[in-house]
Amino acid sequence: MRTTDRTEISARVLALLEKRFGDAARALPADAELSSALPGFDSLAALEYVNAVEGEFGIEVDFVGDDVRYWFSTLDRTAEYVRECVEDRAA
Amino acid sequence: MTYDMLQRSSGIVSGESDLWCTYAAVRTLAWLGRTGDLPSPETVAAFLASRQNPDGGFAWSSGMSSDAWATYYCTQALADLPAGSRGPVRAPSSDWVRSTAHADGGFAMTPGQTSDVWATYYAVRTLVEIYGERPPEELFGWLAALQAEDGGLAWSPAHAKDGTSDARACYYAVTAWSTATGGLGPLPWDRERLTNWLRDRQSASGGFTFQAGDGTDCLWATFRAVSALSRLGEAPRDPEGCIAWIRSRLRPGGSFTRWPGYPVADVWAAFCGVGALRELGAALDDIADAVVATVLSFRTGQGGFTYRTPELASDVLTTSAHLVAGRLPDAAAHDALRWTESCMMPNEDGIMYMPGRGSEVRCTLWALSAGAFGDDAPARSRIADWLTGSIQNPDGGFGYWEGRASDMVSTCSAAEILHRTGGNRPADALRGIAEYVATCETAPGRYANVPGGRPTLRATLQALRALRRAGGADGARVDEALARHRVRGGGYANESNRVPDLLSTYEAVLTADAFGIEWDAGHLSRFLDSVRTADAGFAWTPLMPTSGGPLADCLGRRLELRLSPERHPLPPLALS
């Protein structure tokens, strides 16, 4: 992962959601709350989502310090979180 | 005992659907040919489907592990719903059910656990009736070993050696055999002795009890006994007396109640009453409308059912959680405590999750921690006797309730109850606890919830607390476990050290305190900040934005109190 381009990051995060939630994720607005927009997005699904994002971008999330319930609540916020992580790592 | 408290229900209501109740409601309607009366069966289906885990099995509640009981209830209730309302079929469950099979021929509630007849019954019914598959041939040898000296059937072959027979065990075993063979295979028991044992459970009043020596007939026992007899092609000694006794459980113009003197018509009474009359070939037409109306009045907003009208459906865990968190004013707390103390079955001296359900170890610990029977030494003594005299398993451990195979949550809870109830704790009961805990050790100082399970922080801490109560445990093991599962940013994780959760963190602090181990207040405080919610509650993990409900709020509040200058001690609660 080299890029910090938000559009590309968003596309890759969306692909992760599509893999897990199929059609429901395909039409997902970038600012939609995942817990209400995706049927079955419970705590287990949220954990799988965070783990998938970690694996995709080679980052490690701090589950307490990073306020995961904010950053992983929408596609937009997740992409922004990933972008900052990648930039921090590159700095 | 009087049941006034149950009648006006001064406990705390969760308002949530319950899987047991939902299954009982749907099955009752199906037996009456009335599932078409369900106003929105698709919402029932959605509630049931929400219990399925990615492994294909179903869980008692969201987030819990799959078990054979929940899997049968969900798959059977879904099958009972009107066609077209069941929703899309998700992963089939039969592979998961087969993963609970033991080499001994029985099935366990969860993979790795010891076989018991409850789990075996549910697994066989799911495999045969839902998926059209055959259970393994070893099943019949395992079932054969359930016959005890007195002719009745017991929870497991090991229980049979001790001579503990029970009408429920008879029903589950006979039905497993009948389901697997279509009732045509060779009977693996001495028919006459088994039939006589079952018939001897009927009293002069017409109803049945679960076990020899029980003092009160109940509808649950009656349903199980007449059903077992029916599958054997037999009948009670006095079928007409039995029908009359069952019908005398009807409330005027309404549905059934569980036993004489108990005032509440509930969902399992409807299930047992209709089920028993059906097995006896008795007429149901004259009562069907009232039973259906009553059962439908138990629907909740989540799509499933609870045990009585939702606004009165208190349960012990929710009520205890409010009491332990100190959320009730004095007068309400007094009423709630008395209500909790009234939640006992006849013949079973532990406390139930919901009135009318079997007494449960874990709920008994929560109720005692909330203050139940605090000034009633004889009652505490009866609870201790119930634990050590009736429900401790031959392997030394405890299951959720009588006859269920042992697990660490229940065994740790039992050890804490025995400590709290004082009196003469029999040395062999404590020795048995230590022996069971040893079977769950997967590596030095690491424990699983059941033998053959995966080690986790909570099971390890529960094991070490149980060992401490049973005579001694090494505090260094607690230190090692806490270090292994300490999450850098705050809190403790049940598995690895990445995702902290409220329950594991509660048990970590509780166990550290019990062993006199220092912990970092800042580390706990940071974790609590991450699970505190906008509605002033607590989430189970930092991943969730909303409160996890009264139990999570209770644990979070108690951790706050532990951090306060007064350092209020944590009650020794275990949940899962």
Side-chain angles (χ1 to χ4, degrees):
Chain A
M1 169 68 195
R2 294 273 181 265
T3 184
T4 54
D5 179 76
R6 273 283 298 273
T7 308
E8 183 190 336
I9 293 171
S10 286
R12 289 168 66 183
V13 172
L14 187 59
L16 296 174
L17 287 167
E18 284 179 6
K19 203 169 166 185
R20 173 73 163 73
F21 294 97
D23 288 344
R26 213 153 287 142
L28 186 73
D31 60 350
E33 290 286 332
L34 301 181
S35 58
S36 49
L38 297 176
F41 194 90
D42 55 12
S43 61
L44 184 60
L47 176 57
E48 289 171 359
Y49 175 50
V50 176
N51 286 338
V53 170
E54 284 182 316
E56 174 69 19
F57 297 96
I59 59 176
E60 184 168 299
V61 173
D62 178 341
F63 281 87
V64 174
D66 286 350
D67 195 359
V68 281
R69 66 187 183 209
Y70 173 79
W71 287 114
F72 289 84
S73 60
T74 70
L75 177 60
D76 246 358
R77 288 174 186 165
T78 307
E80 177 59 18
Y81 174 88
V82 171
R83 192 186 64 78
E84 286 182 11
C85 281
V86 172
E87 281 191 351
D88 286 350
R89 196 176 47 186
Chain B
M1 180 183 293
T2 64
Y3 297 102
D4 293 347
M5 283 292 177
L6 297 180
Q7 180 69 64
R8 58 190 175 86
S9 189
S10 53
I12 307 298
V13 170
S14 76
E16 293 180 359
S17 297
D18 176 86
L19 180 52
W20 206 121
C21 302
T22 303
Y23 165 81
V26 172
R27 204 92 247 253
T28 305
L29 296 174
W31 282 335
L32 293 169
R34 300 284 291 270
T35 53
D37 287 33
L38 274 168
S40 52
E42 64 284 354
T43 62
V44 184
F47 168 74
L48 294 166
S50 72
R51 267 44 189 169
Q52 190 167 27
N53 284 322
D55 62 15
F58 288 76
W60 195 258
S61 55
S62 255
M64 290 183 74
S65 301
S66 301
D67 72 49
W69 181 311
T71 300
Y72 172 68
Y73 275 6
C74 286
T75 53
Q76 180 61 66
L78 282 166
D80 278 339
L81 291 175
S85 63
R86 297 167 193 157
V89 176
R90 298 173 70 185
S93 305
S94 61
D95 282 350
W96 181 85
V97 171
R98 288 190 181 277
S99 76
T100 67
H102 260 279
D104 64 11
F107 287 81
M109 250 347 147
T110 60
Q113 199 170 18
T114 306
S115 314
D116 67 49
V117 77
W118 299 84
T120 301
Y121 160 85
Y122 292 119
V124 170
R125 290 200 78 163
T126 307
L127 288 175
V128 176
E129 295 180 354
I130 305 298
Y131 293 106
E133 300 181 10
R134 279 191 60 77
E137 282 304 312
E138 294 79 7
L139 168 71
F140 301 102
W142 188 87
L143 291 173
L146 297 179
Q147 191 154 33
E149 187 65 30
D150 59 12
L153 306 182
W155 307 113
S156 72
H159 282 90
K161 286 179 185 159
D162 294 339
T164 316
S165 299
D166 187 283
R168 289 164 292 192
C170 292
Y171 166 77
Y172 297 132
V174 170
T175 304
W177 162 79
S178 171
T179 302
T181 66
L184 301 173
L187 194 70
W189 309 288
D190 182 312
R191 171 185 290 274
E192 186 178 355
R193 291 171 59 235
L194 173 55
T195 302
N196 285 339
W197 187 90
L198 279 163
R199 285 176 170 160
D200 286 347
R201 302 286 71 75
Q202 188 175 21
S203 74
S205 65
F208 283 75
T209 61
F210 287 127
Q211 297 176 355
D214 285 353
T216 305
D217 299 346
C218 83
L219 199 49
W220 184 10
T222 303
F223 174 42
R224 291 321 190 191
V226 299
S227 300
L229 286 166
S230 169
R231 280 154 182 70
L232 292 167
E234 308 284 354
R237 290 195 205 290
D238 178 10
E240 293 309 315
C242 188
I243 291 169
W245 184 86
I246 294 167
R247 293 184 71 96
S248 71
R249 300 278 68 73
L250 283 165
R251 301 280 291 171
S255 190
F256 294 92
T257 60
R258 292 284 292 272
W259 56 82
Y262 181 79
V264 178
D266 63 31
V267 72
W268 23 73
F271 170 75
C272 293
V274 169
L277 290 175
R278 189 169 164 269
E279 296 285 3
L280 290 161
L284 288 161
D285 291 349
D286 62 321
I287 60 170
D289 285 347
V291 172
V292 169
T294 305
V295 167
L296 290 179
S297 74
F298 301 161
R299 285 178 301 143
T300 78
Q302 283 82 49
F305 289 76
T306 185
Y307 67 97
R308 59 185 301 195
T309 46
E311 63 273 20
L312 294 173
S314 315
D315 71 79
V316 164
L317 283 181
T318 305
T319 303
S320 297
H322 275 74
L323 287 163
V324 169
R327 294 198 181 279
L328 299 175
D330 285 350
H334 177 269
D335 277 359
L337 206 52
R338 298 287 88 79
W339 178 86
T340 301
E341 291 169 344
S342 70
C343 290
M344 281 185 167
M345 280 272 288
N347 316 315
E348 285 193 272
D349 286 326
I351 295 174
M352 309 173 277
Y353 170 46
M354 289 171 168
R357 208 140 108 171
S359 295
E360 296 185 9
V361 176
R362 198 182 48 159
C363 295
T364 302
L365 177 62
W366 276 72
L368 290 172
S369 297
F373 302 118
D375 52 1
D376 188 344
R380 292 201 303 277
S381 180
R382 285 198 301 276
I383 290 171
D385 290 345
W386 167 71
L387 283 177
T388 58
S390 295
I391 74 159
Q392 189 167 21
N393 286 320
D395 62 11
F398 292 79
Y400 277 6
W401 56 78
E402 183 171 0
R404 266 199 73 162
S406 307
D407 64 82
M408 194 63 76
V409 174
S410 305
T411 302
C412 176
S413 298
E416 295 288 4
I417 293 169
L418 288 171
H419 175 74
R420 183 177 281 268
T421 49
N424 298 320
R425 294 188 298 280
D428 54 351
L430 298 176
R431 193 162 46 247
I433 287 174
E435 286 170 3
Y436 174 71
V437 169
T439 66
C440 297
E441 191 172 26
T442 61
R446 297 177 190 230
Y447 295 85
N449 187 44
V450 297
R454 284 182 306 149
T456 61
L457 174 65
R458 292 206 294 272
T460 296
L461 298 179
Q462 289 157 4
L464 294 168
R465 291 206 309 276
L467 287 176
R468 177 169 170 268
R469 294 300 187 204
D474 185 354
R477 297 295 196 199
V478 177
D479 242 345
E480 291 163 10
L482 295 179
R484 232 175 9 248
H485 295 277
R486 187 178 195 272
V487 176
R488 192 184 46 191
Y492 293 84
N494 195 37
E495 298 185 34
S496 81
N497 61 354
R498 294 289 327 281
V499 192
D501 69 85
L502 181 59
L503 190 51
S504 300
T505 303
Y506 184 93
E507 292 218 21
V509 177
L510 167 67
T511 312
D513 281 351
F515 282 82
I517 294 170
E518 296 276 328
W519 45 271
D520 175 359
H523 176 254
L524 173 59
S525 189
R526 282 192 294 281
F527 170 74
L528 285 179
D529 287 345
S530 78
V531 288
R532 208 172 268 112
T533 60
D535 54 0
F538 288 88
W540 287 115
T541 78
L543 288 162
M544 296 310 290
T546 54
S547 159
L551 273 61
D553 293 346
C554 166
L555 298 182
R557 178 64 186 144
R558 290 304 306 211
L559 284 170
E560 282 183 332
L561 290 170
R562 178 64 185 85
L563 279 173
S564 71
E566 293 78 20
R567 299 183 179 186
H568 294 283
L570 298 180
L573 303 171
L575 191 61
S576 72

